[in-house]
Amino acid sequence: MKTSFIHSLLASALLLPALPAQAENLDLLMSQVFARDEATYIGYESVERQDIPVSADIERKYLIVDFRLQATQPPMEQLQASVHKVCMTLLKDRDLIRELSDSGYDMVSVAFDRRSQFDCL
């Protein structure tokens, strides 16, 4: 019993460093996407999709990266350009994409307000 507890503790300790590093990489990358006068990176949220059965072969969770634009109602072209900028920044970081995929994320969305999300990948 004592041995299995120690093995569990060691396994948990080995897994923990990977999760904060991934979060730090994502936070660092996203905080550098826009200049301060364009948009502010708020953070990210992991969401589990309830519309997909647990028994399905596809992953149920996705990530939302959240920003706030400085303009209150940007024109649609500016919004589309901002979504493109975030998505391309994510796609260019292949190590981060691999880490997210290995962690079970099958989609990343971008949000600039509480009402709408735009899918990246």
Side-chain angles (χ1 to χ4, degrees), residues 17 55 60 84 107:
S55 59
R60 294 175 39 134
H84 180 74
M107 185 172 66

Side-chain angles (χ1 to χ4, degrees), residues 25-117:
N25 290 344
L26 182 61
D27 284 337
L28 181 63
L29 184 66
M30 292 295 100
S31 65
Q32 297 173 353
V33 172
F34 296 104
R36 289 186 191 262
D37 61 341
E38 290 180 293
T40 303
Y41 172 64
I42 303 297
Y44 65 90
E45 180 180 356
S46 178
V47 177
E48 188 167 334
R49 297 171 58 182
Q50 300 300 317
D51 60 323
I52 298 175
V54 176
S55 59
D57 289 338
I58 60 173
E59 296 294 341
R60 294 175 39 134
K61 64 182 182 176
Y62 69 98
L63 199 67
I64 302 172
V65 289
D66 197 11
F67 293 87
R68 292 298 176 267
L69 293 171
Q70 300 305 332
T72 54
Q73 280 289 40
M76 184 53 83
E77 296 82 27
Q78 180 186 352
L79 188 59
Q80 288 175 344
S82 296
V83 170
H84 180 74
K85 190 173 187 178
V86 173
C87 293
M88 292 309 296
T89 301
L90 279 167
L91 286 170
K92 287 178 183 177
D93 192 328
R94 292 177 187 239
D95 290 335
L96 180 60
I97 294 297
R98 189 175 304 111
E99 288 175 19
L100 290 172
S101 180
D102 290 347
S103 297
Y105 292 98
D106 67 343
M107 185 172 66
V108 177
S109 293
V110 181
F112 292 100
D113 58 38
R114 292 262 176 215
R115 295 172 301 207
S116 49
Q117 298 172 13

Side-chain angles (χ1 to χ4, degrees), residues 1-12:
M1 181 85 160
K2 189 174 183 179
T3 305
S4 66
F5 175 74
I6 292 172
H7 286 153
S8 296
L9 189 60
L10 282 173
S12 297

